[in-house]
Amino acid sequence: MAAPALPSFTERSAAFARACFNGPVNIAISLACIALLVWLVPPLFNWAVVNATWNGTAATCRENGGACWAFIREKFWFSVFGLYPYEERWRPGTMLVILVTLVICSTFRVFWNKWLLIAWVVAAPTMLILMGGGYFGLTPVPTRLWGGITITGIIAVYGLALGYPLAILLALGRRSNLTLVRWFSTVVIECVRGVPLISLLFMAAIMLPLFLPEGITLDRLARVLVAYTIFTAAYMAEVVRGGLQAMPRGQYEAADAVGLSYWQKMRLVILPQALSITIPSQVNTFIGLFKDTTLVIVIGVFDFFTTLRSALGDPNWLGFPTEAYVFAAGVYFVLCFAMSKYSQKLERDFQPAQR
Amino acid sequence: MKLTAFAAAAAAFMVFGPVEALAGRDLDQIRSRGTLRCGVQGPSNPGFGVPDSQGRWQGFNVEICRAVAITIFNDANRVEFVPVTSQSRFPALAAGEVDILSNNSTWTLTRDSNVNRFNFPAIVFYDGQSVMVPRRLNVTSARQLNGATVCVQPGTTTELNLNDFFRQHNLRFTPVVISDLDELRRAYDSGRCDVFTNDFAALAAQRTLLTRPADHVILPERISKEPLGPVIRQGDEELTNIVAWTVFALIEAEELGINMANVEQIAGSSTNPLVRRFLGVEGNMGESISAARADYARQIIRQFGNYGEIYNRHLGPQTPLGLDRGQNNIWTQGGLLYAPPAR
């Protein structure tokens, strides 16, 4: 069956205009909106484009009066690499390229085969060695110095990749018939969800070393990753449990009836459905967790947002917080919007029957 | 046989073990690690500690740590800078995540006490809460501010000091509380309040960002004392000495007129016994505080200059912050910086 032809642009604009001006209330609202736009847009445009400074120093910016994009330009690579040693910036650069390529590849279903999994398994340690050095003649760079968008990417990707399977186990555990397993999962989920991420990070970074026996040290970033992963797992587990709960009883009984074992039942029947119906809330949770990565500053890790806040203190570039925050907001919006768009695509792919 | 070897090793440990532990526990740890872990204010503190566009830490507090590293290792690069926040700085120091804080921490009794067990070997910057007013108000003293609207950051000692000051002088005021410093400055700049209060150094930095900086004046009163300096854990006398005498060396050098440009020449030609001892030409003062070299002071000055040079490079009138020396001048110039004699 051929899809009906889309109405042309003129037809759609005419329909839009009719919808905006059909009746006194709509006319009033439309006029108010237009007035608001006229009032807001020109000054904003003047600030962001007409009077903006794209090149030069803080003095040029203050003279021009508009947005100081020269500041963002000056600090751009700092926001990507943070405190990573300048001479070695090619390493996080390469790592970012690998990471982004892998993430993009992973979003296409044609690549969903064992090679992708192998690529991830090979790339994960490779990227860490590239960053950390100490092998193949690379200068060791302590994780303390990793920063910028690089560290945001590492924490978000590794946190989710490690937290997701854990979340599924916790969700299954919480619905298990084995009392001990059920209790354990419940306690973990409730305890972790019961405290803010910031205190969990604080515990991992500052308190944990006090409890570890003398001489045993765990890398700071590793501790933070563990805390973030557990936090991710606890939140995701409840989303997954929602999906499990929503499965009709018949699905479980049918799987039992064909003689599937517990793990087969979950893997082949229940989880694929439960996970696909919860895509919107999974992405919702993940977007929230992604933005929470900025909290790692409490333990002194300079993520993307913190590098910009740090750049605000440069004595040569004092007084351009608006530009920095607009830039940060833009970057976060693009990333989160991409995730949201992707989740919508996944929903369409997985649930053709329900549309 | 094995038993004999073990006994010999045990005997050797009993004989040599305690001898090796000459320095304090923290200093030993710093030496065996090979780097000094220095806690600096994150995300940044203009003039005091900021990563530049290439990610390298720069600033007044940063160079203090580098100077300490010269004293310990004779190498300014043996420092790892660890960003700490106002909340995490003391736990980080207590837990040994950092060896020293160089992040504008105020020396107070509680922090120095046997409860918190921190130690403030020396003061590197005398700060204090100040108030800024528009010049047109013709105010010369903070006591004339009865009924004023005051822009202040909430939840800080700044707010408490402000309350104390106005109560003490029987004055009334209306606070405008905004936690973000940039927002607060805009509120003041647009006239929402008559007075802007913060620590002097921060206030001076904020003044440069006003529409017309020259139209505003920072009043001479300091309504609180904020002596800032490096902090270490209590209980390591050797490290205390090293930090203290590193700071004193910077101050002493300025008093003696020794700077980056003339240090080598003075070391070569001076006949003044005080200068000769100070620069390590004679005597062993460096060794007696467990410094890496007898002439540690000379090495510091050669690389970073004296206190005044470090100050002027990052905070002084030629920098965007434009801070006058004020209290942070040496005592012979009317300031508070006074180093005990190096003899």
Side-chain angles (χ1 to χ4, degrees):
Chain A
M1 190 184 82
L6 281 169
S8 76
F9 179 71
T10 23
E11 280 169 326
R12 273 183 294 155
S13 327
F16 178 70
R18 271 198 304 280
C20 288
F21 293 99
N22 62 352
V25 178
N26 279 358
I27 289 175
I29 293 174
S30 299
L31 287 179
C33 289
I34 290 170
L36 195 71
L37 288 178
V38 169
W39 181 57
L40 279 179
V41 172
L44 205 63
F45 185 75
N46 278 340
W47 175 80
V49 181
V50 179
N51 298 328
T53 311
W54 301 87
N55 237 325
T57 63
T60 338
C61 285
R62 295 203 182 97
E63 210 170 289
N64 292 345
C68 187
W69 302 123
F71 169 59
I72 302 299
R73 202 190 165 109
E74 168 76 20
K75 298 294 179 187
F76 179 76
W77 291 111
F78 179 59
S79 81
V80 174
F81 300 126
L83 301 171
Y84 207 87
Y86 186 67
E87 300 74 20
E88 306 280 340
R89 277 185 177 177
W90 64 271
R91 282 158 57 181
T94 315
M95 194 231 82
L96 264 183
V97 171
I98 300 176
L99 189 71
V100 170
T101 314
L102 272 177
V103 168
I104 290 177
C105 284
S106 307
T107 60
F108 291 104
R109 287 181 81 185
V110 281
F111 291 115
W112 288 9
N113 51 40
K114 70 170 183 215
W115 293 110
L116 184 69
L117 194 69
I118 292 172
W120 270 111
V121 169
V122 173
T126 311
M127 288 192 286
L128 292 182
I129 290 172
L130 192 60
M131 289 291 286
Y135 300 93
F136 313 111
L138 294 171
T139 337
V141 176
T143 53
R144 219 169 9 79
L145 296 176
W146 304 10
I149 200 103
T150 322
I151 204 76
T152 304
I154 289 179
I155 297 175
V157 170
Y158 282 72
L160 186 77
L162 299 171
Y164 199 80
L166 201 59
I168 292 175
L169 288 181
L170 280 176
L172 292 177
R174 199 167 182 179
R175 285 172 51 82
S176 169
N177 295 325
L178 307 167
T179 320
L180 219 61
V181 173
R182 190 170 63 241
W183 281 9
F184 175 77
S185 305
T186 310
V187 166
V188 169
I189 291 172
E190 293 303 335
C191 286
V192 173
R193 277 200 317 169
V195 294
L197 177 57
I198 199 159
S199 45
L200 216 67
L201 292 175
F202 211 84
M203 280 287 288
I206 309 282
M207 308 302 285
L208 199 63
L210 294 177
F211 299 123
L212 286 177
E214 191 111 2
I216 294 185
T217 51
L218 198 58
D219 184 82
R220 199 187 243 247
L221 183 67
R223 279 183 262 146
V224 165
L225 258 181
V226 169
Y228 185 75
T229 303
I230 294 174
F231 194 77
T232 308
Y235 270 81
M236 280 293 188
E238 287 299 278
V239 173
V240 174
R241 193 169 66 94
L244 295 176
Q245 220 91 298
M247 283 295 101
R249 230 185 136 73
Q251 295 287 330
Y252 290 87
E253 284 165 359
D256 287 336
V258 289
L260 296 179
S261 72
Y262 176 81
W263 291 108
Q264 282 173 326
K265 175 173 74 179
M266 287 303 161
R267 190 164 59 86
L268 300 171
V269 180
I270 306 299
L271 279 177
Q273 301 183 70
L275 293 182
S276 73
I277 57 168
T278 51
I279 286 172
S281 31
Q282 283 178 39
V283 173
N284 188 32
T285 309
F286 184 59
I287 286 179
L289 288 166
F290 172 68
K291 286 182 291 187
D292 281 348
T293 54
T294 60
L295 295 177
V296 294
I297 176 58
V298 292
I299 48 103
V301 172
F302 272 43
D303 77 309
F304 169 67
F305 186 62
T306 308
T307 54
L308 287 172
R309 288 209 303 149
S310 173
L312 292 177
D314 187 335
N316 298 314
W317 292 93
L318 286 174
F320 302 106
T322 317
E323 287 80 351
Y325 291 136
V326 166
F327 175 63
V331 169
Y332 278 111
F333 176 77
V334 166
L335 292 174
C336 293
F337 190 66
M339 281 187 242
S340 155
K341 275 302 194 197
Y342 178 63
S343 86
Q344 285 168 11
K345 177 176 168 296
L346 275 186
E347 278 173 58
R348 279 196 302 276
D349 287 357
F350 281 125
Q351 293 163 294
Q354 293 178 21
R355 286 175 64 85
Chain B
M1 278 312 271
K2 265 185 184 168
L3 199 68
T4 334
F6 178 77
F13 177 79
M14 281 159 76
V15 175
F16 298 111
V19 179
E20 271 183 275
L22 257 179
R25 196 190 52 171
D26 294 342
L27 187 59
D28 270 345
Q29 211 172 36
I30 295 167
R31 286 217 180 107
S32 67
R33 192 193 306 124
T35 54
L36 174 72
R37 287 200 182 134
C38 172
V40 286
Q41 180 74 27
S44 65
N45 190 355
F48 289 95
V50 191
D52 64 14
S53 303
Q54 304 189 336
R56 296 193 181 97
W57 286 94
Q58 311 283 355
F60 181 84
N61 287 338
V62 170
E63 292 193 355
I64 297 292
C65 269
R66 292 202 184 277
V68 173
I70 293 181
T71 312
I72 300 177
F73 299 114
N74 192 35
D75 183 350
N77 291 318
R78 293 247 202 137
V79 190
E80 298 174 51
F81 290 101
V82 181
V84 293
T85 61
S86 321
Q87 294 84 37
S88 74
R89 54 184 170 173
F90 289 115
L93 181 61
E97 289 270 316
V98 298
D99 304 311
I100 179 170
L101 289 177
S102 186
N103 69 341
N104 286 6
S105 292
T106 305
W107 185 353
T108 65
L109 185 145
T110 329
R111 287 172 182 170
D112 208 356
S113 67
N114 291 327
V115 180
N116 284 314
R117 304 190 61 76
F118 298 123
N119 199 356
F120 293 76
I123 296 169
V124 295
F125 191 90
Y126 291 90
D127 209 342
Q129 193 173 336
S130 308
V131 293
M132 176 160 65
V133 291
R135 211 176 276 280
R136 62 177 163 74
L137 291 185
N138 277 325
V139 173
T140 52
S141 157
R143 295 186 195 185
Q144 295 167 270
L145 292 173
N146 196 13
T149 316
V150 183
C151 274
V152 58
Q153 279 183 301
T156 56
T157 47
T158 317
E159 198 184 13
L160 302 176
N161 293 335
L162 183 75
N163 279 316
D164 285 355
F165 178 82
F166 275 77
R167 233 178 62 192
Q168 182 193 340
H169 293 98
N170 272 321
L171 306 172
R172 284 179 312 104
F173 73 102
T174 317
V176 172
V177 286
I178 301 172
S179 61
D180 184 75
L181 204 54
D182 284 303
E183 282 298 309
L184 196 66
R185 181 191 69 242
R186 282 179 195 176
Y188 172 76
D189 208 9
S190 64
R192 271 183 64 195
C193 40
D194 315 311
V195 180
F196 186 1
T197 183
N198 212 308
D199 284 349
F200 175 73
L203 203 57
Q206 291 299 315
R207 184 168 66 164
T208 64
L209 303 174
L210 294 171
T211 328
R212 284 193 193 76
D215 290 357
H216 301 270
V217 52
I218 297 176
L219 299 178
E221 280 115 330
R222 298 285 179 272
I223 64 177
S224 73
K225 288 189 287 187
E226 310 284 343
L228 313 178
V231 198
I232 59 175
R233 285 180 292 278
Q234 193 168 301
D236 188 331
E237 298 302 329
E238 284 77 10
L239 187 59
T240 308
N241 289 343
I242 281 184
V243 175
W245 287 96
T246 301
V247 174
F248 295 152
L250 297 171
I251 298 170
E252 184 81 6
E254 189 176 12
E255 189 180 334
L256 294 172
I258 303 170
N259 57 39
M260 210 191 281
N262 67 15
V263 59
E264 289 302 315
Q265 183 233 322
I266 289 182
S269 65
S270 178
T271 50
N272 181 344
L274 187 82
V275 172
R276 288 174 67 84
R277 276 198 306 272
F278 177 65
L279 293 179
V281 183
E282 58 186 53
N284 64 344
M285 288 199 318
E287 279 140 34
S288 60
I289 58 156
S290 337
R293 291 170 64 120
D295 63 348
Y296 78 99
R298 179 170 159 189
Q299 300 303 325
I300 293 171
I301 297 154
R302 209 164 51 81
Q303 294 176 54
F304 293 104
N306 60 37
Y307 182 95
E309 287 175 286
I310 296 178
Y311 186 99
N312 287 331
R313 194 158 49 236
H314 298 291
L315 308 168
Q318 304 301 317
T319 68
L321 294 181
L323 298 187
D324 289 331
R325 289 295 291 274
Q327 293 178 322
N328 297 297
N329 213 330
I330 49 172
W331 64 287
T332 47
Q333 307 281 324
L336 295 174
L337 299 173
Y338 185 101
R343 62 172 304 123

